[in-house]
Amino acid sequence: MYTGKTETACCLCGNPDIETRIDLPPRAVPLLKHSEAIAWRDIVGEVSIYFCESDWETVRDLVLETGMSPLSRCNVAHASFDLREDFEALLNDIRDEPDHSDLEREMRESATKTLSNPEDPYVDERDLVEARVVTWAFDDTLVESET
């Protein structure tokens, strides 16, 4: 049965009262805690992780002031994403492995644009945190700059 992507609890503490969401490329899943059993190549679209108010403050400080990624502490059980098998079950059809190249290019370009102009009035702290975490995820998974 296809359930679709849903809002989940804080990926750090499990608190259901979430404040902030950031979206990641599927290849960031192996960087999350307890992700061994998930085939990230079967994820369709972005992966969303959520934070409660107090954990968001910690993550914001960790990323913007300390320059560290929170992903290794984020429990993948609280991440939200769609798997190819869910779509196959819904449509009774076998699908090819998802091609993440367009999504990854868009996410990389958006992160670069955000980080190159942090003083833009339309860029907030959440955007900066997401851009840095996305950039680090690409760096940590050894993604070449051109795919």
Side-chain angles (χ1 to χ4, degrees):
M1 175 162 122
Y2 176 71
T3 58
K5 193 171 171 182
T6 59
E7 191 173 277
T8 64
C10 177
C11 67
L12 292 173
C13 69
N15 183 345
D17 295 326
I18 56 169
E19 164 144 332
T20 305
R21 179 191 93 216
I22 63 173
D23 294 327
L24 306 168
R27 71 175 53 246
V29 166
L31 301 174
L32 300 172
K33 188 177 182 180
H34 306 303
S35 63
E36 301 83 23
I38 298 175
W40 69 265
R41 287 183 172 88
D42 284 336
I43 295 174
V44 178
E46 75 279 344
V47 175
S48 298
I49 56 175
Y50 301 87
F51 301 96
C52 65
E53 185 175 357
S54 64
D55 283 343
W56 175 248
E57 291 175 18
T58 303
V59 167
R60 185 189 64 224
D61 292 345
L62 185 69
V63 171
L64 298 179
E65 295 178 19
T66 311
M68 296 176 65
S69 174
L71 294 184
S72 65
R73 300 282 187 196
C74 296
N75 189 339
V76 75
H78 295 296
S80 181
F81 51 86
D82 289 328
L83 287 173
R84 172 176 59 151
E85 287 82 7
D86 291 338
F87 285 108
E88 290 173 354
L90 174 69
L91 301 173
N92 198 22
D93 183 23
I94 302 297
R95 298 258 171 131
D96 292 331
E97 184 175 284
D99 178 8
H100 298 129
S101 58
D102 289 340
L103 173 66
E104 289 181 349
R105 185 178 56 255
E106 288 172 19
M107 292 184 97
R108 192 176 304 123
E109 288 172 358
S110 177
T112 301
K113 180 180 176 185
T114 298
L115 293 173
S116 68
N117 193 10
E119 301 304 320
D120 184 316
Y122 295 106
V123 173
D124 61 18
E125 282 184 329
R126 191 213 67 82
D127 298 330
L128 289 172
V129 170
E130 181 178 79
R132 286 192 182 171
V133 172
V134 165
T135 300
W136 293 334
F138 282 123
D139 292 346
D140 290 347
T141 55
L142 303 174
V143 176
E144 297 175 5
S145 60
E146 299 287 326
T147 52

